[in-house]
Amino acid sequence: MDGGLYRTLPLVLLCVMASLFLCACGYSREEKQRMREIQALGRKNAVMYVEEKYGFTPDVRDVQLCTERGDQDPLSWANGYVMVSMNDGNKEFRVHINGERDTRAGQDDYQYDLIMEEAREYFGDLLGYEIHDIYMEYKEEGWGMDSSSLCHQDHLLSQFYQAGSFTELLRQYPVNLRIDDCLNQDFTDLKENNAGAAVFFQEYMRAYGMKAVLISYKSQEDYEKGYSHTYGRGGILDFDIEEDGMYICSYAAFDGEEAKLCRFELQECEGMIFCCIDRADGEDLQISAGEDPWLDLGETKKEPVSKVYSADKKEPGEIVVYIPTERYGRNASVFIQHFYDGKWWQYEDYTHLTRDNQYMVVTSMGFPDSSFDFAVFEKE
């Protein structure tokens, strides 16, 4: 074989591989053209959809391709739909519509403000108290495409919402709902004190797929300090809500078959604040400071800068500890120590700060009976 061929063959292979790599890492010319065509037709369809449904011509601000991506896909691919951002004067809204064919079948959130205004009035009358904040999701199921697509967001409706038909909306679409107040209410007595509301939420939970959570914060100030106001989104009602137990008096979650009515209990020990769901008369937690030693298991190299604190309770469930940053700083480490499966275990626990940075928050289930020790260490 010619020596020049030996020298040029690696270069040829390199060029071929580079071309394949570039094709794999970028869209082809044909795909880019397809995307542009989807955007253009989607824009046109969205304008005509609004004109037909609402009787005015909107201003188009932006047209975003709706894309999907499988586990094995090197690139996301356009699924044929677009999300068009529009204006009606000062009012902003979105239209979700197909861009691969002429169509007037779309979805939009133009009436979201009207729906939420009626929702606040409706639930305010039902509950009989002042609502501080309300969040609601609703979604049409099986609307022309896979509803799991990322662009297929909540609050989009294809049908025209008739003002005053809020009850029909609740019965037609599964709703995820969160209602906050700042009245320091005890919802463990909801069935006795507000039987009408309790019956309503249980009925709509079972008959229409509603998921709802009522949260009563201790005050407006506590609401502002609360760790999260995302409860209810995606139908997840009380995930990690114990970490807000310092600020919340109680909550009622309606999901599945039975209501979950919970009140939080706080106990203080030398500036440490312990929190759990209140399940028994009297103090649920047994707390001590400095009575148990920190064991040398090779997990911690230094002595703790705090006492060893111990927490125990009979009922299983999370125990949340608020550790004052004024005393230990914001970057300290917290280690958990517990006895399980015939031996002692230690590990550094995940911590985060409260919104006002006044406390580090630590959560532990305890093993095997909600019992654990913890101590604070300087960050290495």
Side-chain angles (χ1 to χ4, degrees):
M1 184 178 291
D2 183 73
L5 182 58
Y6 273 115
R7 290 190 294 271
T8 59
L9 184 58
L11 181 61
V12 172
L13 292 174
L14 180 62
C15 292
V16 171
M17 292 175 65
S19 298
L20 292 173
F21 178 80
L22 290 174
C23 289
C25 293
Y27 294 107
S28 66
R29 182 180 303 173
E30 292 77 10
E31 181 63 14
K32 290 179 180 178
Q33 178 62 28
R34 173 177 171 267
M35 290 177 170
R36 287 192 289 268
E37 291 174 355
I38 291 173
Q39 285 181 302
L41 183 56
R43 177 191 180 106
K44 176 184 174 183
N45 287 342
V47 171
M48 299 184 71
Y49 162 84
V50 172
E51 290 176 339
E52 183 176 293
K53 185 174 182 179
Y54 296 112
F56 69 89
T57 301
D59 296 322
V60 177
R61 294 186 292 116
D62 185 43
V63 181
Q64 292 289 331
L65 284 168
C66 295
T67 61
E68 299 180 39
R69 184 173 183 173
D71 293 338
Q72 305 301 319
D73 294 333
L75 293 171
S76 58
W77 48 277
N79 63 19
Y81 286 78
V82 293
M83 188 69 76
V84 185
S85 299
M86 295 180 155
N87 284 85
D88 174 21
N90 294 326
K91 181 181 178 63
E92 297 181 357
F93 64 101
R94 302 168 303 159
V95 172
H96 180 246
I97 201 164
N98 192 282
E100 290 187 306
R101 55 184 172 81
D102 289 322
T103 182
R104 303 297 175 268
Q107 291 181 306
D108 68 275
D109 61 0
Y110 182 76
Q111 295 180 289
Y112 178 71
D113 292 341
L114 168 63
I115 292 171
M116 291 308 299
E117 179 182 343
E118 293 195 359
R120 181 180 284 272
E121 181 179 358
Y122 183 94
F123 288 112
D125 290 341
L126 172 69
L127 293 167
Y129 60 76
E130 181 181 355
I131 293 174
H132 179 74
D133 190 27
I134 183 170
Y135 173 82
M136 188 172 73
E137 295 174 348
Y138 50 85
K139 180 187 292 186
E140 289 179 312
E141 299 293 343
W143 183 82
M145 64 173 294
D146 181 5
S147 62
S148 66
S149 301
L150 294 178
C151 63
H152 199 264
Q153 299 178 25
D154 298 303
H155 314 135
L156 301 175
L157 293 179
S158 60
Q159 298 181 10
F160 181 86
Y161 176 76
Q162 189 66 43
S165 62
F166 186 73
T167 302
E168 286 73 17
L169 182 144
L170 294 179
R171 293 174 176 174
Q172 189 171 1
Y173 308 114
V175 165
N176 299 330
L177 175 70
R178 187 193 76 245
I179 298 176
D180 300 330
D181 72 76
C182 300
L183 303 175
N184 198 33
Q185 299 187 83
D186 183 355
F187 286 138
T188 60
D189 297 327
L190 182 67
K191 294 179 180 179
E192 292 77 23
N193 296 336
N194 199 338
V199 169
F200 170 88
F201 285 114
Q202 290 205 314
E203 175 189 349
Y204 275 68
M205 171 182 67
R206 294 167 181 168
Y208 305 108
M210 173 184 283
K211 295 182 178 181
V213 59
L214 313 178
I215 304 176
S216 188
Y217 287 82
K218 296 177 180 179
S219 66
Q220 169 73 36
E221 182 182 8
D222 285 299
Y223 179 86
E224 298 299 333
K225 291 181 178 180
Y227 174 65
S228 174
H229 298 298
T230 60
Y231 308 113
R233 293 187 182 179
I236 302 175
L237 301 183
D238 60 353
F239 180 72
D240 278 350
I241 198 170
E242 293 84 2
E243 296 184 358
D244 260 348
M246 178 182 286
Y247 314 109
I248 295 172
C249 175
S250 67
Y251 72 93
F254 298 86
D255 179 13
E257 290 298 321
E258 294 297 330
K260 186 178 180 181
L261 309 178
C262 299
R263 176 179 58 215
F264 288 108
E265 175 181 316
L266 300 180
Q267 292 178 224
E268 188 271 342
C269 179
E270 298 185 351
M272 303 283 187
I273 299 177
F274 294 75
C275 174
C276 68
I277 292 177
D278 189 1
R279 301 186 187 278
D281 293 334
E283 294 186 337
D284 285 35
L285 301 177
Q286 295 179 348
I287 303 169
S288 64
E291 295 183 7
D292 296 314
W294 189 257
L295 303 177
D296 183 8
L297 303 181
E299 298 296 331
T300 52
K301 298 178 181 179
K302 299 178 181 179
E303 291 296 316
V305 296
S306 73
K307 294 180 180 179
V308 178
Y309 292 86
S310 302
D312 187 21
K313 66 185 178 76
K314 295 180 180 179
E315 297 287 342
E318 291 85 351
I319 299 175
V320 179
V321 186
Y322 297 87
I323 303 171
T325 56
E326 183 180 13
R327 183 182 303 175
Y328 300 107
R330 300 179 184 180
N331 298 311
S333 296
V334 179
F335 277 78
I336 300 292
Q337 172 178 279
H338 64 84
F339 189 79
Y340 175 66
D341 198 23
K343 65 177 182 178
W344 284 94
W345 302 77
Q346 287 178 351
Y347 59 89
E348 184 175 7
D349 204 11
Y350 168 76
T351 64
H352 64 267
L353 297 174
T354 54
R355 183 173 293 182
D356 60 7
N357 295 324
Q358 297 300 304
Y359 295 91
M360 286 191 301
V361 183
V362 176
T363 304
S364 180
M365 287 289 295
F367 296 90
D369 54 357
S370 297
S371 175
F372 68 97
D373 306 326
F374 76 90
V376 181
F377 291 79
E378 290 184 351
K379 201 76 171 180
E380 296 184 1

